Amino acid sequence: MMGRRLLLWLDRMVAMTAKELKQLSRDPVLLIVIVYFFTVDIYVAGSGIQMDLKQAAIVVMDHDHSAASRDLIYRFRSPYFDLKGEISSEHEARELLDRGDVLAVLDIPADFQRDLMRGKSISVQMQVDASNATLGTLATTYAGQIVARFGQEQAEERLGLTEAQLQAVPVIQDRHRVYYNPNQTDPWFMSISELLTVITMLSLMLPAAAAVREKERGTIEQLAVSPLTPAQILFPKVLAMGMIILLGTAVSLFLVILPAFHLPIKGSLVLFFIVTALYVFATSGLGLFIATLSHNLGQVMMLVILIMMPLLLLSGAWTPPEAMPEALRIAMIFSPLSYFIEMGYGILLKGAGVAILWDSMLGLTLLGIVIFSFGVWRFKRQFN
Amino acid sequence: MNISRIKAIAFKEWREILRDRLFFTMAFVVPVMTLLVLGYGLSLDVEHIPFSVIDYDKSAMSRDYLHRFIDSRYFDFQGEAAGERELDDLLADSRIRFAIIVPPRFQEQLLSGRPVAVQSLIDGVFPYRTQVSKGYVAAINANFSAELLSRHIAQTRGIREEQAAALVAPVRLESRYLYNQAIRSRWSMSSGLIMLVLMFAPPFLTALGVVRERENGSIYNIYASTVSRGEFILGKLLPYIAISALNILILWWLVIELFGAPFKGSLLFFFPASLIFVVCTTGIGLLVSLLVRTQAAAALLTMVITFIPAMLFSGLLVPVESMDRATQIEAHLFPAVYYLNIVWGSFLKGLGWSALWGNVMSLLIYAAIIWTISLLGFHKRPRK
């Protein structure tokens, strides 16, 4: 008796899941969405943004015109800077900066070479356009390094220090090691961050779309008179869409991120897919909730955007938690994406395992149960 | 063109917008929410980096050295670690982003005039933050080294310490940050986000609004009426432009009040210029609506052709000059580049018509072209 019931239950699940997959395969808009986001979108995000200073336009006001000043000026070159020539007046400098034609103006004082020879301390001025704060910071950092290097060489020359003697002065030698992404390859970070965001968006959108379609076409009435329970109707939708999302994740990981960006996967892929499955299940609860609020696919998309925004804000996808205001850091406990991001970076880049990520996994599981039950409860209420 | 017909259509459209509660919410909530989410979520200020240390030396000098990190506002000390295994785990769990290991005999080596290599470990998951953290570490090390070295030279050569300091570091770079003296990334980001929001929200609403009419079939009423296509488009889009005009003011106010960005320019220039931009982007929405049939497809296509270019190819994150040639041309095909100059010019630089007229003209030409194409593409008798 028990066995037959179980078989019947399984039979219905398989039939309903197959039905969901078939319906999805007939929806060109959703299919394009899935393919686009798992391939093109991730490629564009991964290769688009490189947050480093490249060929920043700079001009100089050289009041000295000496060998020393020229030596310094010519150090401002590719890849960080692009020397655009010389100007003579403060007024001109201001105009170029105002118009955004140059990022910085370097001002070398008169008597630069003479003071250098006499061992006087000199300051070189740089005006930086900081209307884009990031670039302003980077420009100053790199310019500072260039000037420091120049100063150091001058000092060594004047102190008459040889390479051997340099080994015999008390200085700190900076030996830094960058973990997980030794060359700060932006695409590794950007593509993973985008992949996790896409998974979030689709696990909100696809189950919601599958549920709303029944409403749109009125087939929900047929389901209501069938012997299926609400759980038997909802669960196959989540299952089918979850399978599609996992498949898409695999495609995007193995066919886009690995070949295009050479991401070295440090941790266990099995663990990553388990965690992804857990996450899709947690978020699809919100998707079902969206389905109860909307009447057509257009509205689903609008609500997905509305729910995605706070999820993203509270996730640490772009900004790590320590850089956020205190209140937001506490609110992150309620964002499933924050756990997923932590585990996603942890597994793929850091090679972290269950021993380190257990707390995030536990958090996501608990939150997932709450969210999913909420979604099912809302849907059941509307359904009956 | 008949004014009363335009008015009638505009009024009809306005009533439809008001009636659809979800749509109306979207019109005002999404712009504000995007500003808040990205303004707070995409913080590029690198501060409070959590870090840990291992001090194998435990001397007066090593304590002095480590305190330069502990006392810095850029770092947030998380206590001393017991061993290097613990550091690895802390890094993998994202509890710290940076660690520094002072070797044994640190003080002894330095006092006897020999260099010491200090190992630091940096989390590379967020490439931009890693780059900046590396800069901080290098600067603290260089400072400490310069002090050691000048003390050493003062002793060995029998000169005063100030003289020795000038000898060791003869050239200093003094940076002046224009437009954003404290280089707050929040100022640049929040004001720049006005561009992002006005780039995607107006076309999004417009495309949905126009496509909805087609999806419902109510467009046949228009086809059958005496309204000309110019009257229809103008009347149809006026409410959307009005909503966006209101949004310009709301966003402008929020950026100043909430994010504390200064507005140095004139609203009398900024508002009309923004309005021209909104007319441009509304035109993009109209163009999209001609290409697709369903609201879902309209929402997606708009996001793809507006959000991504505004984020990646506008100069918001990466300056246009730093892009390669092909990308630069691509960037100038979207109005975002010109408007971003206007936004940053008005907010941070205090510029007006005389400096920014070129950008306004570009937007006007852009608007003219895109509206002409849309007008020609819209037919009252759809061809079979």
Side-chain angles (χ1 to χ4, degrees):
Chain A
M1 198 54 198
M2 266 310 275
R4 269 187 52 199
R5 258 215 215 138
L6 189 71
L7 264 177
L8 183 66
W9 188 83
L10 267 178
D11 210 31
R12 283 175 179 170
M13 287 296 277
V14 171
M16 285 298 283
T17 310
K19 165 206 150 255
E20 293 299 337
L21 290 174
K22 254 187 212 160
Q23 267 189 326
L24 182 68
S25 74
R26 287 181 200 142
D27 190 329
V29 174
L30 282 184
L31 284 180
I32 291 172
V33 169
I34 294 169
V35 173
Y36 171 81
F37 277 102
F38 274 121
T39 55
V40 181
D41 182 67
I42 285 171
Y43 181 77
V44 169
S47 53
I49 298 186
Q50 312 242 316
M51 279 237 269
D52 202 354
L53 200 64
K54 268 192 296 180
Q55 310 278 5
I58 186 169
V59 288
V60 287
M61 268 194 287
D62 187 354
H63 295 293
D64 194 40
H65 288 289
S66 60
S69 72
R70 267 191 298 277
D71 183 9
L72 177 60
I73 290 165
Y74 284 117
R75 287 165 189 248
F76 283 83
R77 58 174 180 230
S78 243
Y80 300 134
F81 293 100
D82 180 13
L83 194 60
K84 292 278 189 200
E86 211 183 309
I87 53 166
S88 49
S89 73
E90 187 68 37
H91 180 73
E92 212 177 326
R94 193 58 196 236
E95 208 158 88
L96 285 172
L97 285 163
D98 273 352
R99 282 211 308 264
D101 288 347
V102 299
L103 185 69
V105 176
L106 190 70
D107 186 351
I108 295 178
D111 301 332
F112 178 72
Q113 180 160 328
R114 212 188 60 198
D115 288 349
L116 204 58
M117 291 301 168
R118 287 185 180 167
K120 264 169 80 174
S121 165
I122 318 162
S123 54
V124 171
Q125 286 242 356
M126 190 167 82
Q127 300 182 66
V128 186
D129 175 355
S131 55
N132 184 334
T134 319
L135 295 174
T137 315
L138 286 173
T140 319
T141 311
Y142 291 129
Q145 283 169 8
I146 289 171
V147 172
R149 178 97 205 115
F150 173 80
Q152 200 189 338
E153 279 173 25
Q154 292 287 327
E156 281 163 15
E157 208 173 292
R158 256 171 322 110
L159 291 169
L161 291 176
T162 59
E163 278 297 315
Q165 278 171 308
L166 276 178
Q167 291 304 309
V169 288
V171 289
I172 304 272
Q173 290 165 343
D174 194 354
R175 292 278 155 77
H176 54 252
R177 258 181 62 200
V178 175
Y179 274 33
Y180 317 128
N181 188 352
N183 300 317
Q184 286 98 67
T185 317
D186 279 300
W188 292 1
F189 169 72
M190 289 304 300
S191 60
I192 296 181
S193 156
E194 190 67 15
L195 174 62
L196 303 187
T197 311
V198 166
I199 292 174
T200 308
M201 191 191 76
L202 292 179
S203 51
L204 285 175
M205 189 170 23
L206 294 182
V212 154
R213 197 168 24 217
E214 312 272 11
K215 278 166 117 183
E216 239 178 337
R217 300 193 180 150
T219 47
I220 194 132
E221 308 296 342
Q222 291 174 2
L223 289 174
V225 295
S226 72
L228 297 164
T229 63
Q232 279 173 335
I233 296 168
L234 288 182
F235 199 67
K237 291 186 193 301
V238 173
L239 196 68
M241 299 310 156
M243 276 157 55
I244 295 291
I245 292 171
L246 286 182
L247 183 71
T249 308
V251 165
S252 144
L253 210 52
F254 295 114
L255 297 182
V256 180
I257 297 180
L258 285 183
F261 307 128
H262 311 289
L263 176 82
I265 292 181
K266 293 267 179 55
S268 147
L269 275 174
V270 175
L271 184 63
F272 179 71
F273 279 100
I274 291 175
V275 164
T276 308
L278 185 66
Y279 177 70
V280 171
F281 146 77
T283 335
S284 57
L286 282 175
L288 294 179
F289 175 57
I290 291 176
T292 63
L293 297 178
S294 39
H295 302 287
N296 57 47
L297 199 53
Q299 289 184 333
V300 166
M301 299 230 178
M302 285 194 239
L303 280 168
V304 167
I305 294 173
L306 278 183
I307 292 188
M308 274 287 286
M309 293 255 174
L311 276 188
L312 272 178
L313 165 64
L314 298 175
S315 71
W318 306 304
T319 308
E322 70 263 17
M324 297 217 202
E326 183 71 31
L328 292 188
R329 223 179 308 165
I330 295 168
M332 280 178 76
I333 300 171
F334 301 105
S335 170
L337 185 55
S338 71
Y339 301 100
F340 188 41
I341 291 269
E342 174 65 28
M343 289 188 282
Y345 288 143
I347 296 168
L348 292 178
L349 277 179
K350 298 183 173 182
V354 180
I356 283 173
L357 298 174
W358 67 270
D359 49 347
S360 300
M361 287 176 89
L362 188 68
L364 181 59
T365 313
L366 292 178
L367 195 63
I369 291 172
V370 173
I371 295 176
F372 194 78
S373 321
F374 172 72
V376 172
W377 171 67
R378 290 288 313 199
F379 203 87
K380 264 186 182 168
R381 233 177 52 160
Q382 198 175 57
F383 194 68
N384 292 328
Chain B
M1 286 274 169
N2 182 328
I3 299 290
S4 73
R5 278 192 211 141
I6 296 176
K7 262 203 320 222
I9 289 186
F11 188 58
K12 169 210 90 103
E13 189 65 25
W14 177 244
R15 286 231 304 239
E16 267 182 32
I17 294 171
L18 279 187
R19 211 175 292 155
D20 188 342
R21 284 207 329 259
L22 182 63
F23 193 81
F24 188 73
T25 320
M26 286 286 293
F28 290 102
V29 172
V30 166
V32 170
M33 207 142 104
T34 313
L35 177 69
L36 296 183
V37 167
L38 293 174
Y40 284 115
L42 200 59
S43 167
L44 295 170
D45 294 322
V46 185
E47 286 174 9
H48 313 298
I49 307 160
F51 82 111
S52 181
V53 302
I54 299 180
D55 185 356
Y56 286 121
D57 194 38
K58 296 202 187 297
S59 61
M61 220 164 188
S62 71
R63 264 194 296 278
D64 176 27
Y65 173 67
L66 287 175
H67 259 282
R68 310 214 168 189
F69 292 91
I70 295 170
D71 297 341
S72 156
R73 77 184 166 99
Y74 298 116
F75 294 100
D76 185 7
F77 185 49
Q78 299 290 317
E80 214 167 307
E84 287 173 39
R85 273 296 304 273
E86 195 190 336
L87 286 186
D88 283 352
D89 283 350
L90 286 172
L91 279 166
D93 205 12
S94 310
R95 286 177 197 279
I96 59 170
R97 301 275 176 201
F98 162 71
I100 194 154
I101 303 165
V102 177
R105 299 176 51 230
F106 175 80
Q107 173 167 311
E108 191 193 318
Q109 296 252 3
L110 289 176
L111 286 182
S112 64
R114 280 196 302 273
V116 175
V118 174
Q119 170 97 51
S120 49
L121 312 173
I122 309 174
D123 180 343
V125 168
F126 292 81
Y128 166 72
R129 310 183 80 86
T130 310
Q131 202 75 18
V132 177
S133 314
K134 256 170 39 183
Y136 293 156
V137 177
I140 290 178
N141 278 338
N143 243 320
F144 195 73
S145 294
E147 279 174 35
L148 288 172
L149 198 57
S150 54
R151 217 176 303 152
H152 177 73
I153 286 171
Q155 271 169 16
T156 50
R157 307 217 168 173
I159 49 176
R160 280 186 299 119
E161 256 187 57
E162 298 91 82
Q163 262 178 319
L167 269 176
V168 169
V171 193
R172 242 189 1 259
L173 183 75
E174 269 175 22
S175 286
R176 266 183 57 212
Y177 296 107
L178 300 173
Y179 318 123
N180 184 356
Q181 278 78 5
I183 44 169
R184 292 198 180 89
S185 74
R186 204 145 271 171
W187 287 9
S188 334
M189 218 43 214
S190 60
S191 52
L193 284 172
I194 295 184
M195 176 280 293
L196 184 81
V197 171
L198 294 181
M199 178 80 194
F200 86 87
F204 190 75
L205 293 178
T206 312
L208 284 180
V210 178
V211 171
R212 184 176 46 191
E213 192 118 26
R214 200 170 303 154
E215 226 177 12
N216 292 345
S218 59
I219 196 136
Y220 287 99
N221 298 336
I222 302 292
Y223 290 159
S225 72
T226 50
V227 176
S228 76
R229 63 180 177 190
E231 286 164 353
F232 170 67
I233 287 178
L234 209 61
K236 180 95 187 161
L237 297 197
L238 269 179
Y240 296 103
I241 294 176
I243 289 174
S244 301
L246 200 56
N247 273 327
I248 295 172
L249 294 176
I250 295 173
L251 294 171
W252 172 79
W253 182 77
L254 280 177
V255 167
I256 295 172
E257 288 301 317
L258 210 59
F259 292 94
F263 184 73
K264 296 177 185 158
S266 141
L267 195 58
L268 283 177
F269 166 73
F270 180 68
F271 185 69
S274 303
L275 214 50
I276 295 174
F277 180 64
V278 165
V279 170
C280 272
T281 56
T282 305
I284 295 179
L286 184 59
L287 204 57
V288 167
S289 71
L290 297 178
L291 300 174
V292 296
R293 285 211 203 91
T294 62
Q295 287 192 58
L300 279 166
L301 189 60
T302 320
M303 286 313 260
V304 171
I305 69 167
T306 58
F307 200 84
I308 293 170
M311 197 84 177
L312 301 183
F313 306 127
S314 65
L316 186 63
L317 295 173
V318 190
V320 178
E321 304 89 69
S322 298
M323 299 168 185
D324 58 58
R325 195 91 202 121
T327 324
Q328 276 194 28
I329 294 170
E330 197 183 330
H332 283 96
L333 290 179
F334 292 94
V337 180
Y338 314 104
Y339 185 58
L340 190 64
N341 288 335
I342 295 174
V343 171
W344 276 343
S346 295
F347 269 89
L348 301 172
K349 296 185 176 179
L351 304 178
W353 173 256
S354 58
L356 297 169
W357 65 271
N359 292 298
V360 180
M361 290 318 280
S362 306
L363 288 182
L364 275 175
I365 295 168
Y366 200 95
I369 292 174
I370 205 143
W371 277 72
T372 312
I373 296 176
S374 313
L375 209 58
L376 293 178
F378 184 87
H379 296 283
K380 274 185 73 176
R381 277 182 203 84
R383 273 160 295 189
K384 286 282 142 61

